[in-house]
Amino acid sequence: NVLCRCCGCRTLLLLLLLWKLEEHLLPLNETLAHLKTESETLKSKLEEERAKLHDVELHQVAEKVEGLGQFVMKTRRTLKGHGNKVLCMDWCKDKRRIVSSSQDGKVIVWDAFTTNKEHAVTMPCTWVMACAYAPSGCAVACGGLDNKCSVYPLSLDKNENLAAKKKSVAMHTNYLSACSFTNSDMQILTSSGDGTCALWDVESGQLLQSFHGHAADVLCLDLAPSETGNTFVSGGCDKKANVWDMRSGQCIQSFETHESDINSVRYYPSGDAFASGSDDATCRLYDLRADREVAIYSKESIIFGVSSVDFSLSGRLLFGGYNDYTINVWDVLKGTRVSILFGHENRVSTLRVSPDGTAFSTGSWDHTLRVCDDCYFLSNLTTLQPRVTFLVTSCNVCCFSLFFFFLSDLGLRMRTQRMKW
C-alpha cells in the first residue's frame, strides 16, 4: 500500500501475506495432528496393557458364592410436602432425619419416622438441585440455579427463621449440581455445571482447592468413605468418572466406558471401588486397585436411564433409581437383578441408603419421598464376609455347635446346626 496505491498491487500484496501465513500454519497443523495421533496410539497401548491383566470376570469369580434369594421391599413411609419435583435428599447421621430439596425452591428437614416436617427453608431460586446434611446433624447445605452453596444452621426451635442465619459458602459460574460435607462441618465439596469441583471452607467461604478436568457439566460427586480419605469421585456430561486427590487438586484416575451422561456415583463401603449410573441405562462397577471396570449391571428390557445409585451397608446389593419410575436391586457379585420396587408415579431422581443400612429413601418427580425398610429374605443370604464361631461343650455326649453369622443389610441373621460327635 505504501509502494503503490492501485487496487491490483494491494490485492497482490494481500495474497502474498496469506501465502506466507499459510506456510507458517501448515507445519503447526501438521504438528497438532501428529501429536493427536501419538496420544491416541499411547492410549490404545495403555488399554492393551490393561486388558492383558483382565483374566477373569467378577461374576465368574463369584460362581461358587451362594446366590441371594428373592426378598420383599415394602414402603413404610411416604413423605408429602413438596409442591414440585424432588431433586435431591440426604440422611442425617442419627439415621432418622432426612433433608430434601425440590424444584419448588423448598428445602425441608423431615423426621422419617413420624413423617413430620421439622424445618422448611424457601430458597431464592427454583430448581434446588443439591442438598446435604452436616456430619454433626447441626446444619444443612443446599444450592441450585443460584450458582451458590448456602449453609443453614439447625436448632431445636422449629419456629426459628433459618433464612436469617443463612451463610453463602460457595460461588460457581454455573448451577450447583451436588454438594457434600467432608468428615467435618468445616469443609464442603461442590460440583457445578461450569465443569469444575471445588473444596470450600465453611466458616470463611474461602476456596481451598479447585478441581479442573471435566470437559462438560459435572453432575455428581461422592466422598471416599474412609475417615482419613482424601479422595472423591465425580461424574458428568462428558461420560467420564474422575477420581481426585483433594490435597493436590489432581485427577489421579479416570474412567470413560459409559455411553452417555453419568448422573450418579457412589463409593463401595470399603472405599476400594465405586459404582456409577448413567443415561445409557446401565450401572457400572469400577475397581480402583485394578484401575478398570469390573462389572456392568443391565438388562435388555431396561431402556431408561439411571438417575441415582447406592450400595447396601455390606456392599452386596446395589440399588438403582431409574427414569421408568422403578428401583432395581442388583447382586453386586453375580451381576443379576434380585428385586424390583414399584410405587413412584414418576422418575426416581434420588436414592440413599440410611447410615445403619436398615432402610433406604427415594425421591421422585411425583413430588414425594418414600422410605422402605426391612428387605426380608425368603431364602438364606450369603454376604461377602461370613463369620464363623465354634463353641465346645463337655458332657456325656460332646456336641459342637456351629454358628454361621451372616451380615445382611438388615442386621445379623443366625443359622444354627448341631453336629453330634
Side-chain angles (χ1 to χ4, degrees):
N1 192 31
V2 174
L3 296 175
C4 182
R5 295 182 179 274
C6 71
C7 294
C9 289
R10 277 193 241 172
T11 304
L12 185 62
L13 182 61
L14 182 60
L15 290 173
L16 182 62
L17 289 173
L18 289 174
W19 177 64
K20 287 291 185 183
L21 184 61
E22 189 175 354
E23 279 186 342
H24 288 285
L25 288 177
L26 278 175
L28 181 61
N29 291 333
E30 290 175 359
T31 303
L32 290 174
H34 175 71
L35 291 173
K36 187 175 181 180
T37 303
E38 187 178 355
S39 66
E40 292 296 330
T41 303
L42 290 173
K43 186 176 179 181
S44 300
K45 288 182 178 180
L46 287 172
E47 291 298 330
E48 289 174 3
E49 292 298 321
R50 186 182 294 177
K52 290 178 182 178
L53 302 175
H54 182 202
D55 54 349
V56 65
E57 296 286 348
L58 179 62
H59 65 86
Q60 293 174 332
V61 178
E63 283 180 354
K64 295 182 180 179
V65 177
E66 186 178 349
L68 299 176
Q70 293 182 347
F71 59 94
V72 179
M73 297 181 294
K74 287 191 175 181
T75 300
R76 304 295 181 177
R77 300 286 187 275
T78 301
L79 309 180
K80 298 181 179 180
H82 283 294
N84 215 318
K85 303 169 184 175
V86 178
L87 303 176
C88 187
M89 59 82 52
D90 191 25
W91 284 91
C92 181
K93 295 292 184 183
D94 67 4
K95 314 163 194 172
R96 178 163 177 159
R97 288 169 178 79
I98 290 174
V99 61
S100 63
S101 61
S102 167
Q103 187 186 344
D104 61 9
K106 296 284 197 307
V107 177
I108 299 177
V109 176
W110 308 81
D111 185 327
F113 185 77
T114 64
T115 72
N116 292 333
K117 305 176 189 67
E118 295 193 347
H119 301 281
V121 178
T122 301
M123 295 287 289
C125 70
T126 57
W127 286 91
V128 186
M129 292 179 283
C131 63
Y133 238 116
S136 67
C138 297
V140 294
C142 54
L145 288 185
D146 58 355
N147 303 355
K148 299 177 183 178
C149 182
S150 302
V151 175
Y152 294 87
L154 302 178
S155 66
L156 296 176
D157 185 6
K158 298 181 181 180
N159 298 319
E160 185 178 9
N161 182 17
L162 296 182
K165 294 187 175 182
K166 169 185 172 183
K167 180 184 293 184
S168 295
V169 174
M171 174 65 77
H172 283 274
T173 58
N174 209 326
Y175 66 89
L176 188 81
S177 57
C179 62
S180 177
F181 284 91
T182 59
N183 296 310
S184 73
D185 293 10
M186 303 311 297
Q187 293 181 351
I188 191 167
L189 273 168
T190 59
S191 63
S192 170
D194 60 15
T196 68
C197 301
L199 178 66
W200 308 84
D201 181 82
V202 173
E203 188 66 29
S204 64
Q206 182 181 358
L207 176 64
L208 302 178
Q209 189 67 265
S210 59
F211 308 89
H212 300 265
H214 283 283
D217 299 18
V218 184
L219 300 178
C220 52
L221 60 81
D222 189 39
L223 187 69
S226 172
E227 292 184 0
T228 57
N230 290 293
T231 63
F232 72 95
V233 60
S234 63
C237 293
D238 57 0
K239 311 174 191 177
K240 289 182 180 180
N242 293 339
V243 181
W244 305 87
D245 187 327
M246 288 195 293
R247 296 162 296 186
S248 65
Q250 299 298 312
C251 176
I252 54 178
Q253 284 178 284
S254 184
F255 304 90
E256 191 177 359
T257 59
H258 276 293
E259 299 173 1
S260 190
D261 301 358
I262 298 177
N263 297 317
S264 179
V265 288
R266 196 69 172 171
Y267 265 99
Y268 191 77
S270 68
D272 295 323
F274 71 90
S276 60
S278 168
D279 280 340
D280 62 11
T282 68
C283 300
R284 299 175 189 247
L285 181 67
Y286 299 92
D287 192 307
L288 300 177
R289 298 161 298 182
D291 193 34
R292 62 178 303 277
E293 175 191 292
V294 293
I296 301 177
Y297 307 97
S298 64
K299 290 177 71 71
E300 289 185 1
S301 59
I302 300 177
I303 60 174
F304 290 88
V306 187
S307 59
S308 187
V309 294
D310 201 2
F311 285 102
S312 62
L313 193 63
S314 69
R316 183 65 189 270
L317 299 176
L318 176 65
F319 298 89
Y322 287 73
N323 294 342
D324 61 355
Y325 315 169
T326 63
I327 296 101
N328 289 291
V329 187
W330 303 92
D331 184 334
V332 172
L333 287 181
K334 293 184 174 293
T336 57
R337 185 172 68 182
V338 294
S339 187
I340 183 170
L341 178 65
F342 301 91
H344 280 295
E345 299 173 2
N346 209 322
R347 70 168 58 183
V348 180
S349 54
T350 180
L351 183 153
R352 280 291 177 264
V353 174
S354 65
D356 61 356
T358 59
F360 68 90
S361 178
T362 59
S364 169
W365 283 17
D366 64 8
H367 308 179
T368 67
L369 294 99
R370 294 171 185 261
V371 180
C372 305
D373 70 352
D374 255 353
C375 316
Y376 51 90
F377 291 81
L378 303 181
S379 65
N380 296 326
L381 173 66
T382 303
T383 63
L384 299 176
Q385 297 178 343
R387 295 187 294 174
V388 181
T389 303
F390 293 94
L391 299 180
V392 182
T393 61
S394 71
C395 56
N396 293 332
V397 179
C398 296
C399 297
F400 276 104
S401 296
L402 176 61
F403 293 89
F404 290 91
F405 290 87
F406 293 103
L407 181 61
S408 73
D409 307 291
L410 311 173
L412 293 175
R413 299 182 180 274
M414 183 176 67
R415 292 190 311 177
T416 306
Q417 180 183 1
R418 296 188 178 275
M419 298 181 297
K420 290 188 177 181
W421 221 20

